[in-house]
Amino acid sequence: MRKVVIVDYGLGNILSVKNAFSMFEKNTLVSNDYMEIKNASHLIVPGVGSFSEGIKNLKKKQLDLPIKDYFNSEKPILGICLGLQLFFSSSEEFGHHKGLDLIKGEVVRINKYKDSNEKLPIIGWKDLLIEDCKINFEKNIKTTFYFDHSYMVKPNNPEIIKGQYLFDEISVPSFIINENFIGCQFHPEKSGKIGLNLINQFLNL
Amino acid sequence: MGNIKSKNYLRIVARLDIKNENLIKGIHLEGLRKLGDPNEFAKKYYDEGVDEIIYMDSVASLYGRNSLEGILEKTVKNVFVPITAGGGIRSIDDARKMFLNGADKVAINSAALKNPKLISELANTFGSQSIVISIEAKSIGKNKWESYIDNGRERTGKDVIEWLRQSISLGAGEILITSIDRDGTLRGFDLDLIENISKNSTVPTIVSGGMGKISDIEKIIKDDNINAVAIAAFIHYKKMQINEIKNELNQFTDRIRF
């Protein structure tokens, strides 16, 4: 039986995430309890806010260890936005901060060219071309998701990047698959039907 | 790995002004008329393919209270696009309540004009990307606009462009610019205002006030610096549905999301 657990570390749009997952699985709960996290069939780490606050809260609530244990199991785990970034080695948002270091790489600020028409923060819908992977979108179909961020992940191993978009000429890694871990820089819970489809597929892993 | 340049989507935003628990719509932000249950309208717009929802409590800053929490909580049960909540947010705690009830962004006007430091405090706590500065602009001469507060009731003497620049430097992540002169009139956007905002805004920008026919959007869609249009009376009075608007726009631009 599926048991979906959304990690509550005091940051983020937990209500929207819970509602989106509850559309497909009634047995969805929000928790910061070690045993609940350990026994989940699908774990979600959501997040909106700054990296340093996120890591500080995870440690204060002693959630870093259960998340690491879960990451090292073979069960599916999803990181959304800040919840993706926290899995990386470090971030340069407001100083230098260590992350969970479960995926090697950094979180860096996105910079725009001087005469660029692009806007920061990045708020809005972006097209991603998603590579063949264990999440099935129609083959090579253009997929459009909602983003709201100023920082991006830079994995040491580029092969885990399964979807990206261009900002000026910078590729922004947006969809990550690292074995049982799936990471979205965008918000599937805010991306209409295409986002709900991703959530449903994740739950079927 | 394939890489594509994303389209520069123009977000089509449904703006729902709220008084007590009701969707209302006035003219020039005044003379408010009750239209119904905001949750039903929001769900309908979501089903029709809207890109985003804005809830604006029209009397909150005047009465010092806010009735959006209950509405937000219901809306996020079945609406899966971003939601901005504004009206009467005066502190970090007020903003936190909105986020806890399902808002993705908060919009601030009166409290920020009275205490500009609030913008930095909110941006430092929640991140710039979730702080929208709402500017209510009233024309006071050729290419000159004054910022108003309390839903278009009180003047502040503050020049709109100057306030725009200041709020961005304090950490505003997005700008919602409303023309009080055009609000609710269906007479089209204030194009001079939009041009001036477009030249000066370095953050994502939503324009609001006056949308009354497709050609009104056609006029501003060529400006890549405008990122979203907010529509209110035009959809609330069922002149057209969101999907019809998007289909029409799609005939002369590639900036529409489906």
Side-chain angles (χ1 to χ4, degrees), chain B residues 233-256:
Chain B
F234 188 69
I235 46 175
H236 303 333
Y237 291 128
K238 303 187 171 58
K239 307 269 184 207
M240 275 177 97
Q241 298 187 350
I242 298 287
N243 52 319
E244 294 167 345
I245 295 172
K246 284 189 154 187
N247 282 332
E248 293 259 333
L249 289 172
N250 196 44
Q251 298 185 9
F252 54 84
T253 179
D254 69 349
R255 293 185 69 192
I256 300 302

PDB file of all heavy atoms in Angstrom, chain B residues 233-256:
ATOM      1  N   ALA B 233     -12.964  42.533 -14.791  1.00  0.00           N
ATOM      2  CA  ALA B 233     -14.344  42.742 -15.259  1.00  0.00           C
ATOM      3  C   ALA B 233     -14.641  41.945 -16.536  1.00  0.00           C
ATOM      4  O   ALA B 233     -15.689  41.310 -16.650  1.00  0.00           O
ATOM      5  CB  ALA B 233     -14.591  44.234 -15.494  1.00  0.00           C
ATOM      6  N   PHE B 234     -13.708  41.978 -17.486  1.00  0.00           N
ATOM      7  CA  PHE B 234     -13.911  41.339 -18.791  1.00  0.00           C
ATOM      8  C   PHE B 234     -14.276  39.857 -18.670  1.00  0.00           C
ATOM      9  O   PHE B 234     -15.125  39.359 -19.410  1.00  0.00           O
ATOM     10  CB  PHE B 234     -12.643  41.511 -19.634  1.00  0.00           C
ATOM     11  CG  PHE B 234     -12.781  41.057 -21.057  1.00  0.00           C
ATOM     12  CD1 PHE B 234     -13.588  41.750 -21.952  1.00  0.00           C
ATOM     13  CD2 PHE B 234     -12.101  39.943 -21.522  1.00  0.00           C
ATOM     14  CE1 PHE B 234     -13.714  41.345 -23.268  1.00  0.00           C
ATOM     15  CE2 PHE B 234     -12.217  39.523 -22.836  1.00  0.00           C
ATOM     16  CZ  PHE B 234     -13.024  40.229 -23.717  1.00  0.00           C
ATOM     17  N   ILE B 235     -13.643  39.154 -17.726  1.00  0.00           N
ATOM     18  CA  ILE B 235     -14.000  37.732 -17.553  1.00  0.00           C
ATOM     19  C   ILE B 235     -15.122  37.554 -16.535  1.00  0.00           C
ATOM     20  O   ILE B 235     -15.979  36.695 -16.705  1.00  0.00           O
ATOM     21  CB  ILE B 235     -12.783  36.855 -17.177  1.00  0.00           C
ATOM     22  CG1 ILE B 235     -11.945  37.495 -16.064  1.00  0.00           C
ATOM     23  CG2 ILE B 235     -11.931  36.574 -18.403  1.00  0.00           C
ATOM     24  CD1 ILE B 235     -10.806  36.627 -15.557  1.00  0.00           C
ATOM     25  N   HIS B 236     -15.134  38.380 -15.477  1.00  0.00           N
ATOM     26  CA  HIS B 236     -16.188  38.199 -14.470  1.00  0.00           C
ATOM     27  C   HIS B 236     -17.578  38.434 -15.086  1.00  0.00           C
ATOM     28  O   HIS B 236     -18.544  37.792 -14.726  1.00  0.00           O
ATOM     29  CB  HIS B 236     -16.008  39.159 -13.294  1.00  0.00           C
ATOM     30  CG  HIS B 236     -14.672  39.031 -12.602  1.00  0.00           C
ATOM     31  ND1 HIS B 236     -13.951  37.868 -12.598  1.00  0.00           N
ATOM     32  CD2 HIS B 236     -13.939  39.935 -11.892  1.00  0.00           C
ATOM     33  CE1 HIS B 236     -12.818  38.063 -11.921  1.00  0.00           C
ATOM     34  NE2 HIS B 236     -12.795  39.298 -11.493  1.00  0.00           N
ATOM     35  N   TYR B 237     -17.664  39.397 -16.008  1.00  0.00           N
ATOM     36  CA  TYR B 237     -18.944  39.673 -16.666  1.00  0.00           C
ATOM     37  C   TYR B 237     -19.166  38.779 -17.875  1.00  0.00           C
ATOM     38  O   TYR B 237     -20.058  39.003 -18.686  1.00  0.00           O
ATOM     39  CB  TYR B 237     -19.041  41.155 -17.041  1.00  0.00           C
ATOM     40  CG  TYR B 237     -19.158  42.071 -15.841  1.00  0.00           C
ATOM     41  CD1 TYR B 237     -18.303  43.159 -15.675  1.00  0.00           C
ATOM     42  CD2 TYR B 237     -20.109  41.829 -14.843  1.00  0.00           C
ATOM     43  CE1 TYR B 237     -18.396  43.989 -14.556  1.00  0.00           C
ATOM     44  CE2 TYR B 237     -20.204  42.649 -13.727  1.00  0.00           C
ATOM     45  CZ  TYR B 237     -19.347  43.726 -13.591  1.00  0.00           C
ATOM     46  OH  TYR B 237     -19.439  44.533 -12.489  1.00  0.00           O
ATOM     47  N   LYS B 238     -18.279  37.754 -18.003  1.00  0.00           N
ATOM     48  CA  LYS B 238     -18.444  36.700 -19.014  1.00  0.00           C
ATOM     49  C   LYS B 238     -18.500  37.224 -20.447  1.00  0.00           C
ATOM     50  O   LYS B 238     -19.219  36.710 -21.295  1.00  0.00           O
ATOM     51  CB  LYS B 238     -19.671  35.838 -18.695  1.00  0.00           C
ATOM     52  CG  LYS B 238     -19.575  35.234 -17.299  1.00  0.00           C
ATOM     53  CD  LYS B 238     -20.670  34.242 -16.991  1.00  0.00           C
ATOM     54  CE  LYS B 238     -20.414  33.506 -15.694  1.00  0.00           C
ATOM     55  NZ  LYS B 238     -20.268  34.369 -14.504  1.00  0.00           N
ATOM     56  N   LYS B 239     -17.707  38.268 -20.696  1.00  0.00           N
ATOM     57  CA  LYS B 239     -17.590  38.734 -22.084  1.00  0.00           C
ATOM     58  C   LYS B 239     -16.912  37.638 -22.910  1.00  0.00           C
ATOM     59  O   LYS B 239     -17.285  37.397 -24.042  1.00  0.00           O
ATOM     60  CB  LYS B 239     -16.748  40.014 -22.162  1.00  0.00           C
ATOM     61  CG  LYS B 239     -17.213  41.118 -21.232  1.00  0.00           C
ATOM     62  CD  LYS B 239     -18.217  42.029 -21.893  1.00  0.00           C
ATOM     63  CE  LYS B 239     -18.566  43.169 -20.942  1.00  0.00           C
ATOM     64  NZ  LYS B 239     -19.899  43.701 -21.198  1.00  0.00           N
ATOM     65  N   MET B 240     -15.865  37.031 -22.344  1.00  0.00           N
ATOM     66  CA  MET B 240     -15.189  35.901 -22.977  1.00  0.00           C
ATOM     67  C   MET B 240     -14.640  34.984 -21.885  1.00  0.00           C
ATOM     68  O   MET B 240     -14.394  35.433 -20.778  1.00  0.00           O
ATOM     69  CB  MET B 240     -13.998  36.384 -23.832  1.00  0.00           C
ATOM     70  CG  MET B 240     -14.338  36.815 -25.236  1.00  0.00           C
ATOM     71  SD  MET B 240     -12.850  37.445 -26.065  1.00  0.00           S
ATOM     72  CE  MET B 240     -12.338  35.996 -26.959  1.00  0.00           C
ATOM     73  N   GLN B 241     -14.418  33.698 -22.246  1.00  0.00           N
ATOM     74  CA  GLN B 241     -13.769  32.779 -21.319  1.00  0.00           C
ATOM     75  C   GLN B 241     -12.259  32.824 -21.532  1.00  0.00           C
ATOM     76  O   GLN B 241     -11.794  33.199 -22.604  1.00  0.00           O
ATOM     77  CB  GLN B 241     -14.264  31.356 -21.580  1.00  0.00           C
ATOM     78  CG  GLN B 241     -15.749  31.206 -21.346  1.00  0.00           C
ATOM     79  CD  GLN B 241     -16.187  29.753 -21.442  1.00  0.00           C
ATOM     80  OE1 GLN B 241     -15.420  28.881 -21.864  1.00  0.00           O
ATOM     81  NE2 GLN B 241     -17.409  29.494 -21.042  1.00  0.00           N
ATOM     82  N   ILE B 242     -11.520  32.368 -20.511  1.00  0.00           N
ATOM     83  CA  ILE B 242     -10.055  32.368 -20.602  1.00  0.00           C
ATOM     84  C   ILE B 242      -9.567  31.593 -21.830  1.00  0.00           C
ATOM     85  O   ILE B 242      -8.698  32.054 -22.566  1.00  0.00           O
ATOM     86  CB  ILE B 242      -9.424  31.763 -19.320  1.00  0.00           C
ATOM     87  CG1 ILE B 242      -9.768  32.599 -18.082  1.00  0.00           C
ATOM     88  CG2 ILE B 242      -7.920  31.575 -19.486  1.00  0.00           C
ATOM     89  CD1 ILE B 242      -9.037  33.928 -17.983  1.00  0.00           C
ATOM     90  N   ASN B 243     -10.152  30.427 -22.079  1.00  0.00           N
ATOM     91  CA  ASN B 243      -9.703  29.625 -23.223  1.00  0.00           C
ATOM     92  C   ASN B 243      -9.992  30.338 -24.544  1.00  0.00           C
ATOM     93  O   ASN B 243      -9.199  30.259 -25.489  1.00  0.00           O
ATOM     94  CB  ASN B 243     -10.318  28.222 -23.192  1.00  0.00           C
ATOM     95  CG  ASN B 243     -11.824  28.240 -23.056  1.00  0.00           C
ATOM     96  OD1 ASN B 243     -12.381  29.026 -22.290  1.00  0.00           O
ATOM     97  ND2 ASN B 243     -12.507  27.397 -23.800  1.00  0.00           N
ATOM     98  N   GLU B 244     -11.099  31.071 -24.603  1.00  0.00           N
ATOM     99  CA  GLU B 244     -11.409  31.827 -25.834  1.00  0.00           C
ATOM    100  C   GLU B 244     -10.404  32.969 -26.024  1.00  0.00           C
ATOM    101  O   GLU B 244      -9.921  33.211 -27.131  1.00  0.00           O
ATOM    102  CB  GLU B 244     -12.831  32.403 -25.763  1.00  0.00           C
ATOM    103  CG  GLU B 244     -13.913  31.333 -25.770  1.00  0.00           C
ATOM    104  CD  GLU B 244     -15.296  31.871 -25.390  1.00  0.00           C
ATOM    105  OE1 GLU B 244     -15.396  32.992 -24.844  1.00  0.00           O
ATOM    106  OE2 GLU B 244     -16.275  31.149 -25.625  1.00  0.00           O
ATOM    107  N   ILE B 245     -10.083  33.639 -24.918  1.00  0.00           N
ATOM    108  CA  ILE B 245      -9.094  34.724 -24.985  1.00  0.00           C
ATOM    109  C   ILE B 245      -7.764  34.177 -25.487  1.00  0.00           C
ATOM    110  O   ILE B 245      -7.133  34.733 -26.390  1.00  0.00           O
ATOM    111  CB  ILE B 245      -8.902  35.372 -23.587  1.00  0.00           C
ATOM    112  CG1 ILE B 245     -10.200  36.055 -23.140  1.00  0.00           C
ATOM    113  CG2 ILE B 245      -7.734  36.364 -23.590  1.00  0.00           C
ATOM    114  CD1 ILE B 245     -10.174  36.549 -21.694  1.00  0.00           C
ATOM    115  N   LYS B 246      -7.352  33.043 -24.896  1.00  0.00           N
ATOM    116  CA  LYS B 246      -6.058  32.465 -25.282  1.00  0.00           C
ATOM    117  C   LYS B 246      -6.051  32.017 -26.745  1.00  0.00           C
ATOM    118  O   LYS B 246      -5.061  32.230 -27.452  1.00  0.00           O
ATOM    119  CB  LYS B 246      -5.722  31.287 -24.363  1.00  0.00           C
ATOM    120  CG  LYS B 246      -5.243  31.717 -22.983  1.00  0.00           C
ATOM    121  CD  LYS B 246      -4.714  30.533 -22.192  1.00  0.00           C
ATOM    122  CE  LYS B 246      -3.702  30.994 -21.164  1.00  0.00           C
ATOM    123  NZ  LYS B 246      -3.035  29.874 -20.482  1.00  0.00           N
ATOM    124  N   ASN B 247      -7.156  31.418 -27.186  1.00  0.00           N
ATOM    125  CA  ASN B 247      -7.220  30.980 -28.585  1.00  0.00           C
ATOM    126  C   ASN B 247      -7.117  32.159 -29.542  1.00  0.00           C
ATOM    127  O   ASN B 247      -6.425  32.092 -30.557  1.00  0.00           O
ATOM    128  CB  ASN B 247      -8.520  30.208 -28.844  1.00  0.00           C
ATOM    129  CG  ASN B 247      -8.438  28.789 -28.317  1.00  0.00           C
ATOM    130  OD1 ASN B 247      -7.346  28.210 -28.248  1.00  0.00           O
ATOM    131  ND2 ASN B 247      -9.570  28.234 -27.915  1.00  0.00           N
ATOM    132  N   GLU B 248      -7.806  33.247 -29.213  1.00  0.00           N
ATOM    133  CA  GLU B 248      -7.750  34.435 -30.076  1.00  0.00           C
ATOM    134  C   GLU B 248      -6.339  35.020 -30.110  1.00  0.00           C
ATOM    135  O   GLU B 248      -5.825  35.356 -31.173  1.00  0.00           O
ATOM    136  CB  GLU B 248      -8.731  35.504 -29.567  1.00  0.00           C
ATOM    137  CG  GLU B 248     -10.183  35.106 -29.694  1.00  0.00           C
ATOM    138  CD  GLU B 248     -10.850  35.752 -30.901  1.00  0.00           C
ATOM    139  OE1 GLU B 248     -10.402  36.839 -31.313  1.00  0.00           O
ATOM    140  OE2 GLU B 248     -11.816  35.165 -31.419  1.00  0.00           O
ATOM    141  N   LEU B 249      -5.731  35.136 -28.925  1.00  0.00           N
ATOM    142  CA  LEU B 249      -4.386  35.721 -28.850  1.00  0.00           C
ATOM    143  C   LEU B 249      -3.379  34.865 -29.609  1.00  0.00           C
ATOM    144  O   LEU B 249      -2.451  35.369 -30.235  1.00  0.00           O
ATOM    145  CB  LEU B 249      -3.948  35.869 -27.390  1.00  0.00           C
ATOM    146  CG  LEU B 249      -4.675  36.942 -26.581  1.00  0.00           C
ATOM    147  CD1 LEU B 249      -4.283  36.850 -25.099  1.00  0.00           C
ATOM    148  CD2 LEU B 249      -4.349  38.337 -27.109  1.00  0.00           C
ATOM    149  N   ASN B 250      -3.594  33.559 -29.548  1.00  0.00           N
ATOM    150  CA  ASN B 250      -2.661  32.616 -30.168  1.00  0.00           C
ATOM    151  C   ASN B 250      -2.563  32.795 -31.679  1.00  0.00           C
ATOM    152  O   ASN B 250      -1.609  32.355 -32.299  1.00  0.00           O
ATOM    153  CB  ASN B 250      -3.105  31.192 -29.828  1.00  0.00           C
ATOM    154  CG  ASN B 250      -2.018  30.184 -30.085  1.00  0.00           C
ATOM    155  OD1 ASN B 250      -0.862  30.429 -29.735  1.00  0.00           O
ATOM    156  ND2 ASN B 250      -2.374  29.067 -30.708  1.00  0.00           N
ATOM    157  N   GLN B 251      -3.551  33.484 -32.265  1.00  0.00           N
ATOM    158  CA  GLN B 251      -3.514  33.678 -33.715  1.00  0.00           C
ATOM    159  C   GLN B 251      -2.479  34.706 -34.141  1.00  0.00           C
ATOM    160  O   GLN B 251      -2.078  34.732 -35.290  1.00  0.00           O
ATOM    161  CB  GLN B 251      -4.900  34.059 -34.219  1.00  0.00           C
ATOM    162  CG  GLN B 251      -5.872  32.931 -33.940  1.00  0.00           C
ATOM    163  CD  GLN B 251      -7.244  33.172 -34.502  1.00  0.00           C
ATOM    164  OE1 GLN B 251      -7.461  34.108 -35.246  1.00  0.00           O
ATOM    165  NE2 GLN B 251      -8.176  32.313 -34.140  1.00  0.00           N
ATOM    166  N   PHE B 252      -2.065  35.584 -33.223  1.00  0.00           N
ATOM    167  CA  PHE B 252      -1.063  36.561 -33.651  1.00  0.00           C
ATOM    168  C   PHE B 252       0.153  36.643 -32.735  1.00  0.00           C
ATOM    169  O   PHE B 252       0.948  37.575 -32.843  1.00  0.00           O
ATOM    170  CB  PHE B 252      -1.694  37.953 -33.839  1.00  0.00           C
ATOM    171  CG  PHE B 252      -2.455  38.461 -32.657  1.00  0.00           C
ATOM    172  CD1 PHE B 252      -1.794  39.090 -31.621  1.00  0.00           C
ATOM    173  CD2 PHE B 252      -3.828  38.301 -32.593  1.00  0.00           C
ATOM    174  CE1 PHE B 252      -2.489  39.554 -30.542  1.00  0.00           C
ATOM    175  CE2 PHE B 252      -4.529  38.765 -31.504  1.00  0.00           C
ATOM    176  CZ  PHE B 252      -3.874  39.393 -30.474  1.00  0.00           C
ATOM    177  N   THR B 253       0.327  35.675 -31.825  1.00  0.00           N
ATOM    178  CA  THR B 253       1.526  35.677 -30.989  1.00  0.00           C
ATOM    179  C   THR B 253       1.857  34.254 -30.584  1.00  0.00           C
ATOM    180  O   THR B 253       0.985  33.378 -30.601  1.00  0.00           O
ATOM    181  CB  THR B 253       1.320  36.528 -29.720  1.00  0.00           C
ATOM    182  OG1 THR B 253       2.499  36.490 -28.925  1.00  0.00           O
ATOM    183  CG2 THR B 253       0.147  36.000 -28.898  1.00  0.00           C
ATOM    184  N   ASP B 254       3.143  34.030 -30.261  1.00  0.00           N
ATOM    185  CA  ASP B 254       3.505  32.707 -29.738  1.00  0.00           C
ATOM    186  C   ASP B 254       3.726  32.771 -28.233  1.00  0.00           C
ATOM    187  O   ASP B 254       4.340  31.890 -27.654  1.00  0.00           O
ATOM    188  CB  ASP B 254       4.761  32.170 -30.449  1.00  0.00           C
ATOM    189  CG  ASP B 254       6.011  32.947 -30.081  1.00  0.00           C
ATOM    190  OD1 ASP B 254       5.886  34.021 -29.448  1.00  0.00           O
ATOM    191  OD2 ASP B 254       7.118  32.493 -30.437  1.00  0.00           O
ATOM    192  N   ARG B 255       3.207  33.819 -27.578  1.00  0.00           N
ATOM    193  CA  ARG B 255       3.477  34.003 -26.154  1.00  0.00           C
ATOM    194  C   ARG B 255       2.405  33.400 -25.246  1.00  0.00           C
ATOM    195  O   ARG B 255       2.369  33.679 -24.062  1.00  0.00           O
ATOM    196  CB  ARG B 255       3.637  35.502 -25.833  1.00  0.00           C
ATOM    197  CG  ARG B 255       4.879  36.132 -26.470  1.00  0.00           C
ATOM    198  CD  ARG B 255       5.063  37.570 -26.026  1.00  0.00           C
ATOM    199  NE  ARG B 255       5.422  37.651 -24.616  1.00  0.00           N
ATOM    200  CZ  ARG B 255       5.422  38.791 -23.912  1.00  0.00           C
ATOM    201  NH1 ARG B 255       5.083  39.927 -24.491  1.00  0.00           N
ATOM    202  NH2 ARG B 255       5.763  38.785 -22.642  1.00  0.00           N
ATOM    203  N   ILE B 256       1.524  32.586 -25.817  1.00  0.00           N
ATOM    204  CA  ILE B 256       0.416  32.050 -25.012  1.00  0.00           C
ATOM    205  C   ILE B 256       0.686  30.594 -24.637  1.00  0.00           C
ATOM    206  O   ILE B 256       1.073  29.785 -25.472  1.00  0.00           O
ATOM    207  CB  ILE B 256      -0.910  32.166 -25.790  1.00  0.00           C
ATOM    208  CG1 ILE B 256      -1.185  33.648 -26.111  1.00  0.00           C
ATOM    209  CG2 ILE B 256      -2.072  31.551 -25.020  1.00  0.00           C
ATOM    210  CD1 ILE B 256      -1.270  34.557 -24.906  1.00  0.00           C
TER     211      ILE B 256
END
